[in-house]
């Protein structure tokens, strides 16, 4: 049995939901609200499962053994090894390296400096206003998008690297969602916009979308 602890708006959780959908892996989703009552992820019961107190968290119960895995890319690499088809790392050695580069540019270069925990710390410890927090997040997202827009035309076909969905795409679309949330103008990023439009129509990405999750508030749901 596979259980995914997730928050509907978490872009890292979205990555894992997408990977599970792409690979056709059945799973049970357990919502963890990052804002309700100070954050359900900070409760002792959850921190006992994941000491970093973040989502996503994957729990695999198999053959009497329980395996817990945190951090989205660690989870996805686990799934890639356990369920290798369809692969999220297709292509040549060089293409797979580019896929990982794009994924890490999002995962390590953009996401950590605009995620919820950092923005709350800016507010609680440094008195940053909502406008300042939004401007901070947008500033770092633009920096990352500038780099992505320079890199992607070298490899982009239908998807980030060629004609097959990959880990790069799994990371890209949730970050575009975040860019829109923080008011980033996407007009200077035509390749990113084209790829995002393609991914937004892909059934696996639609199923994993924040607007379609069990814990999505009614006002944010879409058909």
């Amino acid at each position: 049995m596979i259980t995914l602890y997730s928050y509907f708006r978490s872009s890292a959780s979205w990555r894992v939901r997408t990977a599970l959908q792409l690979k056709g892996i059945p799973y049970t989703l357990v919502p963890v609200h990052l804002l309700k009552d100070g954050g359900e992820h900070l409760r002792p019961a959850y921190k006992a499962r994941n000491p970093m107190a973040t989502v996503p968290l994957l729990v695999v119960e198999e053959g009497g053994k329980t395996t817990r895995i945190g951090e989205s890319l660690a989870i996805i690499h686990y799934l890639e090894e356990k369920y290798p088809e369809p692969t999220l790392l297709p292509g040549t050695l060089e293409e797979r390296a580019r896929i990982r580069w794009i994924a890490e540019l999002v995962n390590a270069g953009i996401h950590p400096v605009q995620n919820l925990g950092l923005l709350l710390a800016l507010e609680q410890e440094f008195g940053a206003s909502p406008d300042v927090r939004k401007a901070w997040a947008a500033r770092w997202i633009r920096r990352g998008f500038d780099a992505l827009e320079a890199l992607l035309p070298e490899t982009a076909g239908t998807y980030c690297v060629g004609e097959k969905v990959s880990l790069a795409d799994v990371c890209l679309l949730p970050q575009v969602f975040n860019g829109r949330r923080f008011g980033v103008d996407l007009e200077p990023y035509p390749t990113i916009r084209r790829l995002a439009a393609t991914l937004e129509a892909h059934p696996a990405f639609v199923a994993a979308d924040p607007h379609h999750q069990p814990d999505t508030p009614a006002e944010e749901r879409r058909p």
Side-chain angles (χ1 to χ4, degrees), residues 120-152:
L120 288 175
L122 287 175
E123 174 190 3
Q124 295 165 1
E125 298 181 32
F126 302 100
S129 69
D131 286 346
V132 167
R133 296 197 306 272
K134 183 177 180 179
W136 169 279
R139 180 254 186 271
W140 293 107
I141 293 170
R142 286 194 298 270
R143 175 178 179 267
F145 281 4
D146 287 345
L148 284 169
E149 189 62 35
L151 287 172
L152 285 168

Side-chain angles (χ1 to χ4, degrees), residues 25-216:
I25 302 169
Y27 68 99
T28 299
L29 189 144
V30 176
V32 179
H33 203 295
L34 301 187
L35 296 173
K36 184 179 179 181
D37 299 326
E40 293 178 344
H41 59 303
L42 300 176
R43 294 177 180 175
Y46 186 76
K47 291 184 75 172
R49 297 187 183 98
N50 182 2
M52 193 62 176
T54 57
V55 292
L57 175 69
L58 195 78
V59 178
V60 181
E61 298 176 80
E62 188 175 55
K65 178 183 177 182
T66 299
T67 300
R68 293 176 290 120
I69 309 164
E71 304 302 329
S72 62
L73 291 199
I75 293 169
I76 292 170
H77 285 302
Y78 167 85
L79 296 173
E80 178 72 6
E81 292 189 38
K82 188 172 179 65
Y83 306 95
E85 296 297 332
T87 182
L88 296 177
L89 290 166
T92 65
L93 174 64
E94 292 75 18
E95 288 168 334
R96 293 194 300 274
R98 181 55 66 99
I99 289 167
R100 291 185 176 100
W101 185 4
I102 294 167
E104 282 296 348
L105 198 157
V106 173
N107 181 60
I110 306 175
H111 181 258
V113 287
Q114 53 91 89
N115 69 5
L116 178 62
L118 184 141
L119 296 178
L120 288 175
L122 287 175
E123 174 190 3
Q124 295 165 1
E125 298 181 32
F126 302 100
S129 69
D131 286 346
V132 167
R133 296 197 306 272
K134 183 177 180 179
W136 169 279
R139 180 254 186 271
W140 293 107
I141 293 170
R142 286 194 298 270
R143 175 178 179 267
F145 281 4
D146 287 345
L148 284 169
E149 189 62 35
L151 287 172
L152 285 168
E154 298 175 7
T155 58
T158 303
Y159 302 107
C160 284
V161 180
E163 300 305 312
K164 293 183 178 180
V165 174
S166 73
L167 178 61
D169 304 286
V170 167
C171 290
L172 178 68
L173 185 59
Q175 189 58 61
V176 172
F177 174 84
N178 279 349
R180 290 175 177 143
R181 281 183 58 222
F182 290 114
V184 173
D185 179 9
L186 298 182
E187 190 62 28
Y189 309 113
T191 309
I192 291 175
R193 285 189 285 109
R194 176 180 68 79
L195 292 168
T198 298
L199 296 171
E200 286 169 338
H202 191 293
F205 288 82
V206 172
D209 188 287
H211 299 98
H212 302 143
Q213 302 312 303
D215 55 329
T216 304

